[in-house]
Amino acid sequence: MSQHKSLPLKRAASEVRVIRFKCALHNTILDVLRDRGWQETKEDDWDFYWCDVGWMKEFFDHCYMDEHVRICHFRNHYELTRKNLMVRNLKRYKKQIEREYGKLEASKCEFFPTTFELPSEYHLFVEEFKKYPGIIWIMKPVAKSQGKGIFLFRKLKDITDWRKEDPVQRDSAQSEREPPETYVVSRYIENPYLIGGRKFDIRVYVFVTSYIPLKAWLYRSGFARFSNTRFSLDTITDSYIHLTNVAIQKTAPDYDPEKGCKWSMQQLRTYLTGRHGQESVNVLFRLIDEIFIKSLHSVQRVMINDKHCFELYGFDIMIDSNMKPWLIEVNASPSLTASSQSDYELKFGLLHDVLHIVDMENRLCGGEKRVGGFDLMWNDGPVANDDELWDTATPHMYPTNTFLGCYNDREKQLQQLFKSLNSQQQSKPT
């Protein structure tokens, strides 16, 4: 069976319903929607809309939706995906855990670098800066992506534009000056794990269908993004060394578009296992799982839950030389434009599996723990792994239902799933 085809559940002709879709993007998601045989519409009579975040902000609150309608963002998705709000929610969540369960449990939330929002927390940042003279900090605009506006620094004079002025002492010239763009400043991870002397981060896909109760799926595949130049702290101005964004790396003079700067998640896990052993890598990936769950819990109380909404998040994780994972950021609109044929195949399968779970065709029974490449990792509580359901050489090594970087036999699994569902449907009394 071609990997570029969805796997439909057989239905009687009288049961077939035309699904009308609208899509704001012209990349892999549009290919997938068309591949499913759905009907494209440019009007407002859609059943499914893959919109952009701008549409959510402008139109969602004024839009009536029928029971069956689905849309690809939660109303206030930015609580987790805007850099300053993400950190604010994680800090609040950590304090809540400390109050309720103590400092030891709260220490498990220390998976994001020390971060401040500028200019509003400039004075707090300066106090922290003075405690650790000479270390490197990284500045990022809160609402930009693809590496835009990011820079590293060691001296306060490099960020004078974000200095918060005393309103009493501010002169007229300062009052007329436009306020600086909001940034976050984070302690730079100076000891990243290196492969071939190069820095990398990993992109992982987490799919949320509900916040109340929380229901989240983890995709088995993903990729590591490498810098094009060997890592060094001798220069902090070279983006090709310090930023792994594909949008940055592909502008390097010696960038090879065919080879790219990516490894699959399976390649990365195999490499790490060869270097450090299976037990150490299992611990690492379990810590990464914890990052996903705790990040989602940090916004669960503030997120506006809506049965029409779902979200595909792109989590960016970095590993340091001590095999500790760090959350760098979360994306509400992870790039769905392919950079190579293998990247296209990954995203094509990923998006088909997203739509299988959204289940506009009403094919699933609701109790599935795996759909294609997605494994259900949280369903109002941790999801246990049913050993007998999983094709893995060492099922006892995976006590929870997460398989990041493991073999992704999504087509085989979908065939088995839909065959089983068809059998159940045919055995029902008429």
Side-chain angles (χ1 to χ4, degrees):
M1 180 172 291
S2 168
Q3 62 190 30
H4 296 322
K5 290 294 178 185
S6 58
L7 300 163
L9 183 65
K10 294 178 182 177
R11 288 190 175 276
S14 60
E15 294 182 80
V16 174
R17 177 174 62 86
V18 174
I19 298 169
R20 297 158 300 179
F21 78 87
K22 192 173 181 179
C23 187
L25 306 179
H26 295 275
N27 53 33
T28 314
I29 181 57
L30 183 58
D31 293 346
V32 170
L33 290 165
R34 289 171 174 170
D35 185 65
R36 295 182 79 85
W38 296 0
Q39 181 180 310
E40 189 170 0
T41 178
K42 302 295 184 183
E43 306 301 325
D44 291 332
D45 59 344
W46 42 269
D47 304 300
F48 180 95
Y49 188 13
W50 197 283
C51 67
D52 55 35
V53 294
W55 185 93
M56 290 294 293
K57 182 178 180 180
E58 188 171 356
F59 296 107
F60 182 80
D61 289 341
H62 313 289
C63 185
Y64 170 78
M65 295 184 188
D66 289 331
E67 181 79 15
H68 70 282
V69 168
R70 295 293 181 268
I71 194 164
C72 69
H73 293 295
F74 285 95
R75 172 63 182 87
N76 56 337
H77 59 87
Y78 46 78
E79 291 287 351
L80 184 59
T81 59
R82 193 175 169 99
K83 298 178 184 69
N84 56 332
L85 297 182
M86 179 193 82
V87 171
R88 192 180 302 170
N89 284 311
L90 286 170
K91 287 180 177 179
R92 176 184 49 76
Y93 181 68
K94 182 183 175 185
K95 289 179 181 178
Q96 174 191 330
I97 294 298
E98 185 173 337
R99 285 195 305 271
E100 296 178 5
Y101 303 103
K103 290 186 177 182
L104 181 61
E105 191 65 25
S107 67
K108 297 176 183 177
C109 297
E110 294 174 355
F111 52 76
F112 57 100
T114 302
T115 302
F116 299 90
E117 182 179 328
L118 300 185
S120 63
E121 295 181 327
Y122 180 82
H123 297 307
L124 291 173
F125 165 66
V126 170
E127 289 180 19
E128 186 73 12
F129 179 91
K130 290 179 178 178
K131 292 178 186 176
Y132 305 99
I135 71 166
I136 301 172
W137 296 83
I138 184 167
M139 287 277 284
K140 301 179 182 180
V142 300
K144 289 182 179 176
S145 59
Q146 299 183 324
K148 296 172 185 172
I150 297 177
F151 64 93
L152 279 63
F153 70 96
R154 282 193 176 99
K155 299 178 181 179
L156 280 177
K157 68 179 182 62
D158 294 329
I159 59 163
T160 53
D161 288 347
W162 287 270
R163 185 171 56 206
K164 194 173 183 183
E165 305 289 348
D166 185 336
V168 177
Q169 299 179 352
R170 186 182 300 170
D171 59 31
S172 58
Q174 291 170 329
S175 299
E176 293 174 3
R177 188 175 63 191
E178 279 192 24
E181 181 180 0
T182 302
Y183 268 60
V184 291
V185 56
S186 302
R187 187 164 178 170
Y188 185 63
I189 299 170
E190 298 185 23
N191 64 325
Y193 191 101
L194 303 179
I195 296 179
R198 291 169 171 78
K199 175 182 174 180
F200 67 93
D201 69 358
I202 59 177
R203 165 61 57 84
V204 185
Y205 297 101
V206 174
F207 183 51
V208 176
T209 55
S210 169
Y211 269 99
I212 303 175
L214 180 61
K215 189 170 186 177
W217 303 73
L218 177 63
Y219 203 61
R220 295 187 171 203
S221 299
F223 50 85
R225 302 177 296 189
F226 287 82
S227 61
N228 200 59
T229 307
R230 293 179 70 86
F231 184 76
S232 171
L233 294 176
D234 293 340
T235 174
I236 61 173
T237 58
D238 190 339
S239 297
Y240 299 131
I241 294 175
H242 299 287
L243 304 184
T244 59
N245 310 71
V246 174
I248 298 290
Q249 294 299 325
K250 69 182 182 181
T251 64
D254 55 346
Y255 178 77
D256 183 348
E258 293 298 320
K259 185 180 177 182
C261 294
K262 290 182 179 180
W263 272 11
S264 72
M265 194 66 70
Q266 287 76 12
Q267 284 178 290
L268 178 63
R269 185 159 190 156
T270 299
Y271 175 87
L272 293 173
T273 302
R275 288 288 305 273
H276 302 281
Q278 188 169 355
E279 186 175 347
S280 294
V281 172
N282 285 346
V283 170
L284 168 65
F285 277 74
R286 192 65 62 235
L287 291 173
I288 294 175
D289 291 344
E290 286 293 309
I291 290 177
F292 305 143
I293 296 302
K294 286 181 167 55
S295 297
L296 296 175
H297 278 152
S298 76
V299 296
Q300 186 178 18
R301 293 185 180 181
V302 297
M303 196 66 69
I304 301 171
N305 194 61
D306 191 303
K307 63 186 177 183
H308 300 99
C309 302
F310 61 87
E311 196 86 49
L312 177 64
Y313 291 109
F315 276 73
D316 291 342
I317 305 289
M318 185 171 292
I319 303 167
D320 69 19
S321 58
N322 299 315
M323 294 281 279
K324 174 181 170 62
W326 296 88
L327 175 62
I328 303 303
E329 63 183 46
V330 184
N331 300 273
S333 300
S335 174
L336 302 179
T337 300
S339 59
S340 65
Q341 182 59 32
S342 60
D343 195 41
Y344 180 83
E345 292 170 2
L346 164 67
K347 291 172 180 175
F348 193 93
L350 165 77
L351 292 167
H352 255 308
D353 292 346
V354 163
L355 299 183
H356 286 319
I357 295 172
V358 172
D359 195 26
M360 295 295 293
E361 299 92 345
N362 296 318
R363 301 179 294 184
L364 303 182
C365 69
E368 292 82 5
K369 288 187 178 181
R370 183 182 177 191
V371 177
F374 276 107
D375 298 292
L376 183 62
M377 67 173 171
W378 195 270
N379 189 15
D380 201 22
V383 178
N385 166 35
D386 296 332
D387 288 349
E388 69 276 8
L389 294 182
W390 308 110
D391 181 18
T392 172
T394 54
H396 63 280
M397 296 301 293
Y398 301 95
T400 55
N401 197 44
T402 52
F403 300 84
L404 181 61
C406 296
Y407 181 51
N408 186 2
D409 56 339
R410 57 174 297 273
E411 288 194 19
K412 177 182 176 182
Q413 194 276 337
L414 288 170
Q415 286 176 331
Q416 294 172 344
L417 173 64
F418 291 145
K419 182 179 179 180
S420 173
L421 291 171
N422 270 321
S423 299
Q424 293 174 31
Q425 185 187 75
Q426 292 168 6
S427 64
K428 288 180 180 179
T430 56

